[in-house]
Amino acid sequence: MKIFVHESITGGGLDSSRIVPTLLAEGRMMLQALLTDLLRLEDHQILLLIDRSRVKRVPRHHSLRVIDSGRDYRRIFVELVEEADAAFLIAPEAAGLLEGLTAVVEASGKLVLGSAATGIKAAGDKVLTHQLLTSSNI
């Protein structure tokens, strides 16, 4: 199975002017933790989209293919979604970023290793979450 791993900050998905150093550090740590676990799955190929200006070092592993987002982030993101069997996405919920990336994967018919876009939208909206829980007698 080909798994597309995408952490949006280290992958080039946010405008550089919006990234504070602490947010970039968090993105790097989440990516490192995820890769450490996924690279143990020897039967899978991992596709990783990164922005080389934000990530200087990437682990070397025979099942890891690293692609630089360069100046064409969106096109390359979509190409990797199409190539992969599944996608594991990490992104801020702010401004619907995680929801939007997830919707791209869902629209391609690929497996999302995480919550559905509708779930992300509901969880990111306290009023909607309350309404959904109330309507389910929770």
Side-chain angles (χ1 to χ4, degrees):
M1 174 181 274
K2 284 186 183 180
I3 303 171
F4 173 36
V5 173
H6 181 61
E7 193 289 315
S8 67
I9 296 166
T10 58
L14 286 180
D15 180 354
S16 299
S17 65
R18 295 178 38 201
I19 302 174
V20 294
T22 54
L23 193 57
L24 180 57
E26 286 177 27
R28 287 177 180 154
M29 287 186 285
M30 286 187 282
L31 179 61
Q32 181 180 8
L34 181 58
L35 286 176
T36 297
D37 289 341
L38 289 178
L39 290 174
R40 292 182 185 150
L41 304 173
E42 291 292 327
D43 295 336
H44 302 287
Q45 182 182 11
I46 308 300
L47 308 173
L48 175 64
L49 179 62
I50 64 161
D51 179 337
R52 291 268 182 206
S53 70
R54 298 176 190 175
V55 178
K56 303 299 181 203
R57 293 183 46 196
V58 177
R60 297 187 111 180
H61 194 278
H62 67 275
S63 64
L64 177 64
R65 192 172 109 216
V66 179
I67 300 92
D68 189 352
S69 61
R71 295 181 181 208
D72 206 356
Y73 164 79
R74 186 69 175 181
R75 180 187 60 79
I76 296 170
F77 177 88
V78 171
E79 285 178 3
L80 290 174
V81 167
E82 291 299 324
E83 181 180 343
D85 300 305
F88 196 120
L89 307 171
I90 302 170
E93 292 178 28
L97 183 58
L98 181 57
E99 177 188 351
L101 294 174
T102 303
V104 170
V105 176
E106 289 174 341
S108 74
K110 304 302 173 111
L111 176 65
V112 175
L113 300 174
S115 297
T118 55
I120 294 165
K121 181 177 183 170
D125 182 329
K126 291 179 183 181
V127 173
L128 180 56
T129 299
H130 175 73
Q131 291 170 344
L132 290 170
L133 292 172
T134 301
S135 69
S136 298
N137 296 319
I138 299 174

